[in-house]
Amino acid sequence: MSVINHDVIIVGAGLAGLRAAVEAAEYCDVAVISKLHPLRSHSGAAQGGICAALGNEEEDYPLWHAFDTVKGADYLGDQDAIEVMCNDAPRAIIEMEHFGVPFSRTKEGKIAQRPFGGHTRNFGEAPVRRACYAADRTGHVCLHTLYEQCIKRKVRFYSEYQVLDICETEGVVCGVVTYNIRTGEIDVFNSKAVMFATGGFGRAYKTTSNAHANTGDGLGIVMRHGIPLEDMEFVQFHPTGLYRLGILVTEGARGEGGVLRNASGERFMERYAPTVKDLAPRDMISRCMYQEVREGRGVGTAKDYISLDLTHLSLKQIETKLPEISTFAKIYLGVDPSKNPIPVQPTCHYAMGGIPTNVDGRVVTDEKNTVKIGFWAAGECACVSVHGANRLGTNSLLDLIVFGRRAGKDIVQFVRETKGKMPVQKDADKKVREKINNILSRTKGESVGKIRADLQQMMMDKVSVFRTEELLASACRDIKSLRERAKNAVVQDKGKEFNTDLLDAIELEFMIDYSQTIIEGAYHRKESRGAHAHEDYPKRDDANFMKHTLCLVDEGGHSEIKYKPVNMALAERNWEYREKFVAKERKY
Amino acid sequence: MKLRLKIWRQDSATAQGMFKTYTLDNLEKGMSFLEMLDVLNQQLVTKGERPVVFDHDCREGICGTCGMMINGRAHGPIGGITTCQLHLRSFNDGDELTIEPFRAKAFPVIKDLKIDRSAFDRIIASGGYISASTGSAPEANSILIPHDVAESAFDSAACIGCGACVATCKNGSAALFTSAKISHLAKLPQGRAEARARVVKMVEQMDKEGFGHCTNTEACEAECPMGVSVLNIAQMNWEYNKALLLGA
Ligand SMILES: Cc1cc2nc3c(=O)[nH]c(=O)nc-3n(C[C@H](O)[C@H](O)[C@H](O)COP(=O)(O)OP(=O)(O)OC[C@H]3O[C@@H](n4cnc5c(N)ncnc54)[C@H](O)[C@@H]3O)c2cc1C
Ligand code: SF4
Ligand code: FES
């Protein structure tokens, strides 16, 4: 077993991983390992923007931003982390500007800002312009810029290396085991610090706005080391994804007057939300769409989608106000939105939950926030938790660069203070080798693709936009049988190079593990909060459920659920704004 | 619908490649081009044959991973899109499609349709960045940038590094890619300071990687899925000549 050495290993080259690398590389030898080329990471897909209370367009303060984030999170966000993020936001944006991000500009040449859902002035008074953006390609330009900064700092990249395990010696995380996608070789890396920034897991659902690589591997890996996942039941669905593809159609389409219709052409939102209709909050519209489909009023041969109707708008309005939607609809579905309605479906968009960490990005393993030595996480795979039960638009990119940097800083301090490096165990790669051999040796069974499709369909049907006791109980049974089936999944391709079939099989095991935490977390949370809408318990229940779920699933599928308190720093501080941060009903 | 696919198969970087023909039936018009390759691979794997290796990830025209020559055109017959945005409705029942990797001296084939684009990384590494430190907190609004300058820098920054420009160019030149990065940074005040040194290093690296020279055919612009303009090349040449005259 040969071992590759670095001071710091960062897994994942999205904005979270790259920002941490930039920070750490000023002082240590940093390697970034990514299953994709860094510039192909999904952070590049973010369009809308990245928010900060710069006050460039109108009065704004980090405190207002913090209020919106706490409220948007349905009071499940940790207030210490939210305060850190909102206060640091203006600095973080200016820094990105200095690194070379071509932000869109105001007439005076300052960074331009636009309004975004849930962001308000003066504690909910009216929408505020807080989102900085580079047209509709904010993620793309940020990703390229941070990559350049890494290159300049001589960060070592290992692209097309998929991490399959972490190395642990005497309870200290000290490396990773990787699978080289090009050659099929297994390598062991040894380092003082390991950070996960492996992104989201939209691919556990049938319809998602996430890329193919967003399979949430990191979440499956940490559970094998006894680290529970936090608040996994909170998964954000965006109401309008293009049918089958899940690609996002912005909210602007409805803002401009587009309406949603079922199979009989009825504008059904009038029935559910008589006043706001098609402009009701995202989570609510997604639920209504799902309801229509479940009750047999879906459109199409499989009756499984809803129509987004723009045909009553003028051609000019569509072309000038919604140009990209009209090209998207044409490119992907061959639909001309001025003549025919666009087929849409709620699409799985963002994971609020993940690997529990503290504000310095250190992974914590229990309800007492005990730190796992040598291990950090940030970005969508982590749960600090700033998004609580529901994330506000543009807060994710901010989360990535704020907590990515903090993790990087903390890592530097750790590396400097720690003499010597914990060695990896002699047989660190044994488990991974056994797993791969086991998978390749199977000859009879179902294909991985079939089991994965069934899992994705099941998650979509039973654990998506709205949940019931019955659905969740049946999902618990389904996941058991999927786990059994996966044990015999057959990989046809037995080769070494670019064996995506094999990697799919490994990813499927991770998917089943963390999908179970979503199901169990949802099953045990007998209330409705943020993205978790439970029909049998339609109200939020602060007395019993104002707490974070910690769920751990072992190899055999046995689960353990614990809870930890929400940090209420702002609501408990003795100051004039105390009242603003105390939990209340979430109304807009 | 039915399609005949003539696909480039090559076992490794050093192996001799060749075209192999496959026929697919019962395809739907609404299917994307890459979904069609998924279907083919599923069939190959079931028959115990090696699946076709190709690059893809986002499948929404954003990541720049996908890219192949389809009937002799980079990203297929429709201009302004990536391969993953191409759909079968752009073809007719019974068509024969020739599918090959992007070809250029600086982009060696790794396997089948997958190529090594790391030459692009090395061009960026030679100077495609701004030297700013992470240390002290920079001042807000210390950089004011006129609206249209920012827009123009943004347009240059749109490149997704797919390589279509190189594959399309008869000289195998990377001028469009390289100039996009050079112009993006040179247009911003924060990138001006290093502009001269940057252009010299990046152009030299481009030559070192074995990319050909630009002879202004403008074929690249026509095939670029992000609409990156050849005006960037003009800016690069201007910056380069200025740097040579005035010293980097
Ligand atoms: C369509 C879309 C639009 C969005 N728009 C916005 C927006 O406007 N504003 C906003 O704030 N947020 C937005 N979001 C959310 C935001 O983009 C994501 O939450 C964020 O980009 C996640 O970044 P990350 O760094 O955590 O992970 P990613 O960027 O997803 O990167 C994950 C990295 O981990 C690597 N990786 C994963 N598993 C492994 C493994 N096993 N081994 C090795 N490497 C691995 C991958 O290669 C990749 O490099 C949007 C999301 C989508 C899907
Ligand atoms: S300039 Fe256009 S064609 Fe060339 S790599 Fe960039 S996006 Fe692709
Ligand atoms: S797969 Fe991302 S651009 Fe085509």
Side-chain angles (χ1 to χ4, degrees):
Chain A
M1 187 182 80
S2 71
V3 177
I4 302 168
N5 285 284
H6 289 283
D7 288 347
V8 181
I9 300 282
I10 295 173
V11 184
L15 289 183
L18 295 183
R19 185 59 192 82
V22 166
E23 198 66 31
E26 302 238 332
Y27 308 96
C28 351
D29 149 44
V30 180
V32 173
I33 302 178
S34 172
K35 63 179 178 181
L36 301 170
H37 183 282
L39 294 179
R40 320 297 184 197
S41 300
H42 203 53
S43 289
Q47 308 164 349
I50 175 166
C51 60
L54 290 176
N56 279 0
E57 303 254 6
E58 59 182 307
E59 189 182 9
D60 196 10
Y61 303 100
L63 184 65
W64 294 354
H65 184 186
F67 169 83
D68 293 332
T69 305
V70 167
K71 180 177 167 190
D74 222 349
Y75 300 92
L76 197 70
D78 284 324
Q79 300 188 352
D80 56 344
I82 291 174
E83 185 179 33
V84 162
M85 179 177 83
C86 299
N87 284 343
D88 195 33
R91 184 207 55 77
I93 298 289
I94 302 299
E95 182 180 74
M96 290 300 282
E97 174 194 40
H98 283 250
F99 285 159
V101 171
F103 284 114
S104 297
R105 296 278 156 172
T106 64
K107 274 198 223 69
E108 311 90 85
K110 296 188 209 167
I111 295 175
Q113 299 189 274
R114 62 184 172 199
F116 230 88
H119 291 280
T120 68
R121 52 170 282 109
N122 205 12
F123 309 103
E125 215 172 74
V128 73
R129 280 174 281 181
R130 186 177 289 147
C132 311
Y133 56 96
D136 57 355
R137 322 222 73 213
T138 315
H140 164 84
V141 289
C142 290
L143 186 66
H144 280 244
T145 301
L146 284 185
Y147 175 65
E148 291 157 16
Q149 292 300 315
C150 285
I151 293 273
K152 189 198 140 218
R153 288 171 175 77
K154 309 249 178 310
V155 169
R156 176 71 198 272
F157 283 99
Y158 293 87
S159 295
E160 298 189 288
Y161 278 68
Q162 187 150 352
V163 170
L164 298 183
D165 200 5
I166 48 178
C167 305
E168 208 181 324
T169 306
E170 293 168 30
V172 174
V173 176
C174 55
V176 296
V177 182
T178 60
Y179 179 87
N180 184 327
I181 300 175
R182 284 194 186 192
T183 63
E185 242 125 80
I186 291 165
D187 292 302
V188 175
F189 286 76
N190 187 195
S191 63
K192 280 191 185 177
V194 173
M195 173 176 164
F196 267 22
T198 51
F201 57 75
R203 284 283 148 189
Y205 287 83
K206 185 179 173 207
T207 311
T208 174
S209 60
N210 288 194
H212 280 242
N214 289 22
T215 48
D217 309 348
L219 305 177
I221 293 170
V222 301
M223 282 206 288
R224 286 291 143 270
H225 291 261
I227 299 167
L229 300 180
E230 182 173 344
D231 291 341
M232 290 292 284
E233 61 270 33
F234 298 101
V235 180
Q236 188 171 68
F237 279 78
H238 195 290
T240 53
L242 288 184
Y243 176 55
R244 286 205 317 131
L245 301 163
I247 294 171
L248 273 204
V249 176
T250 113
E251 243 167 60
R254 280 170 289 126
E256 289 297 327
V259 299
L260 296 163
R261 298 189 191 281
N262 61 21
S264 59
E266 181 202 5
R267 184 181 182 186
F268 59 87
M269 282 311 295
E270 285 181 330
R271 195 163 11 97
Y272 296 98
T275 39
V276 281
K277 301 186 185 99
D278 298 274
L279 289 173
R282 279 183 191 178
D283 50 343
M284 179 173 184
I285 297 191
S286 293
R287 284 197 290 278
C288 299
M289 290 168 68
Y290 225 70
Q291 182 76 12
E292 290 297 300
V293 168
R294 277 209 317 194
E295 291 176 1
R297 290 190 293 276
V299 189
T301 39
K303 297 188 169 203
D304 57 351
Y305 66 83
I306 291 295
S307 295
L308 173 61
D309 187 359
L310 305 178
T311 55
H312 55 290
L313 306 183
S314 72
L315 194 61
K316 188 164 158 241
Q317 203 176 355
I318 295 180
E319 274 171 4
T320 55
K321 296 281 180 58
L322 305 165
E324 74 258 56
I325 297 180
S326 113
T327 33
F328 261 26
K330 277 183 202 147
I331 287 178
Y332 287 105
L333 302 174
V335 167
D336 178 349
S338 66
K339 298 207 179 74
N340 295 298
I342 308 173
V344 291
Q345 264 177 333
T347 184
C348 175
H349 189 51
Y350 184 83
M352 270 71 76
I355 306 168
T357 71
N358 67 17
V359 291
D360 293 318
R362 289 196 148 208
V363 175
V364 293
T365 58
D366 57 19
E367 48 305 19
K368 289 195 268 336
N369 288 324
T370 308
V371 164
K372 183 83 186 167
I373 299 173
F375 200 24
W376 286 256
E380 194 171 333
C381 73
C383 181
V384 225
S385 133
V386 282
H387 309 301
N390 176 54
R391 171 181 77 94
L392 292 187
T394 69
N395 259 353
S396 169
L397 293 188
L398 179 62
D399 166 12
L400 307 176
I401 59 169
V402 167
F403 291 102
R405 168 175 174 269
R406 290 180 70 92
K409 271 189 150 9
D410 202 56
I411 286 172
V412 168
Q413 198 181 346
F414 178 88
V415 167
R416 284 179 156 179
E417 285 169 2
T418 312
K419 288 206 190 70
K421 179 158 66 180
M422 185 66 89
V424 291
Q425 291 183 357
K426 284 206 183 61
D427 57 354
D429 56 349
K430 188 169 149 224
K431 266 207 235 137
V432 167
R433 286 183 193 279
E434 282 174 0
K435 181 189 278 204
I436 291 176
N437 290 340
N438 172 317
I439 294 175
L440 290 177
S441 69
R442 296 175 200 156
T443 48
K444 260 217 208 88
E446 291 175 274
S447 77
V448 177
K450 174 78 178 87
I451 302 171
R452 186 182 53 205
D454 287 352
L455 170 71
Q456 291 166 330
Q457 185 70 53
M458 186 277 284
M459 292 300 285
M460 201 69 198
D461 290 343
K462 299 180 180 169
V463 208
S464 57
V465 276
F466 75 144
R467 294 135 186 207
T468 69
E469 193 88 18
E470 202 188 318
L471 284 174
L472 292 170
S474 110
C476 287
R477 290 189 296 273
D478 291 349
I479 199 84
K480 272 209 189 89
S481 81
L482 286 161
R483 186 182 292 280
E484 287 309 310
R485 286 165 62 191
K487 285 186 186 149
N488 298 313
V490 172
V491 164
Q492 304 282 356
D493 186 351
K494 311 281 183 197
K496 279 190 149 261
E497 299 159 9
F498 302 106
N499 190 340
T500 44
D501 220 15
L502 170 65
L503 292 170
D504 285 349
I506 297 172
E507 287 170 356
L508 176 68
E509 291 181 11
F510 295 145
M511 270 185 183
I512 290 176
D513 284 342
Y514 64 76
S515 294
Q516 187 174 342
T517 67
I518 304 173
I519 298 168
E520 303 256 359
Y523 183 78
H524 289 95
R525 186 173 281 280
K526 308 213 181 277
E527 64 158 352
S528 290
R529 181 189 297 270
H532 173 64
H534 198 313
E535 283 198 304
D536 300 320
Y537 305 95
K539 286 230 163 63
R540 199 175 76 197
D541 177 359
D542 288 340
N544 294 303
F545 288 103
M546 177 72 101
K547 54 189 181 185
H548 297 295
T549 306
L550 292 176
C551 181
L552 180 62
V553 171
D554 71 15
E555 235 148 326
H558 305 289
S559 65
E560 179 187 85
I561 295 229
K562 287 183 179 164
Y563 292 95
K564 78 174 179 185
V566 176
N567 181 296
M568 286 289 176
L570 300 172
E572 283 162 4
R573 184 177 300 160
N574 193 5
W575 63 334
E576 54 178 316
Y577 300 107
R578 201 189 80 85
E579 193 39 41
K580 301 282 184 209
F581 294 96
V582 174
K584 23 188 127 25
E585 199 189 339
R586 189 171 147 241
K587 277 195 291 203
Y588 285 101
Chain B
M1 70 193 276
K2 182 174 170 174
L3 290 174
R4 265 166 67 83
L5 309 175
K6 242 177 88 184
I7 301 180
W8 184 259
R9 301 304 308 261
Q10 183 172 335
D11 283 335
S12 69
T14 46
Q16 187 82 34
M18 61 187 270
F19 281 106
K20 271 201 178 153
T21 308
Y22 307 90
T23 307
L24 287 182
D25 283 319
N26 297 325
L27 296 166
E28 283 170 44
K29 284 242 164 205
M31 212 180 226
S32 76
F33 182 86
L34 294 187
E35 280 174 308
M36 175 192 71
L37 291 184
D38 291 339
V39 169
L40 172 66
N41 276 347
Q42 199 62 50
Q43 293 186 2
L44 289 177
V45 161
T46 317
K47 281 193 281 185
E49 288 178 42
R50 188 170 72 68
V52 179
V53 173
F54 64 97
D55 259 333
H56 69 97
D57 185 42
C58 73
R59 298 203 177 189
E60 47 183 291
I62 284 167
C63 72
T65 316
C66 64
M68 45 194 96
M69 297 303 269
I70 302 161
N71 287 345
R73 281 191 67 183
H75 296 304
I78 315 276
I81 60 171
T82 52
T83 302
C84 60
Q85 293 180 313
L86 183 64
H87 285 71
L88 300 192
R89 70 182 91 85
S90 304
F91 303 104
N92 297 315
D93 193 19
D95 276 1
E96 178 175 284
L97 312 186
T98 305
I99 304 167
E100 322 165 61
F102 279 173
R103 297 199 189 270
K105 192 170 146 223
F107 285 166
V109 173
I110 297 175
K111 200 169 186 171
D112 298 336
L113 304 173
K114 192 179 168 79
I115 53 164
D116 181 351
R117 282 172 287 199
S118 57
F120 273 2
D121 292 340
R122 291 186 292 274
I123 293 178
I124 299 295
S126 70
Y129 45 73
I130 287 173
S131 300
S133 85
T134 56
S136 54
E139 283 276 321
N141 295 325
S142 59
I143 309 176
L144 292 179
I145 305 176
H147 182 265
D148 27 318
V149 172
E151 296 285 293
S152 157
F154 171 79
D155 288 341
S156 300
C159 166
I160 55 176
C162 65
C165 47
V166 177
T168 298
C169 176
K170 66 177 167 54
N171 309 315
S173 162
L176 195 63
F177 166 84
T178 310
S179 68
K181 181 56 64 194
I182 287 173
S183 312
H184 154 206
L185 297 176
K187 283 170 187 168
L188 296 175
Q190 58 271 49
R192 267 314 317 165
E194 297 157 277
R196 280 189 220 152
R198 178 185 305 121
V199 70
V200 172
K201 284 190 272 184
M202 288 180 74
V203 168
E204 279 172 3
Q205 188 66 33
M206 180 170 76
D207 293 343
K208 233 187 271 169
E209 294 293 343
F211 290 105
H213 285 279
C214 171
T215 52
N216 298 316
T217 66
E218 303 190 3
C220 51
E221 182 185 276
E223 293 298 50
C224 172
M226 306 314 294
V228 172
S229 157
V230 290
L231 289 178
N232 288 293
I233 301 182
Q235 169 147 14
M236 172 172 77
N237 291 338
W238 184 75
E239 296 278 347
Y240 185 70
N241 291 332
K242 199 167 69 170
L244 291 189
L245 273 175
L246 303 174

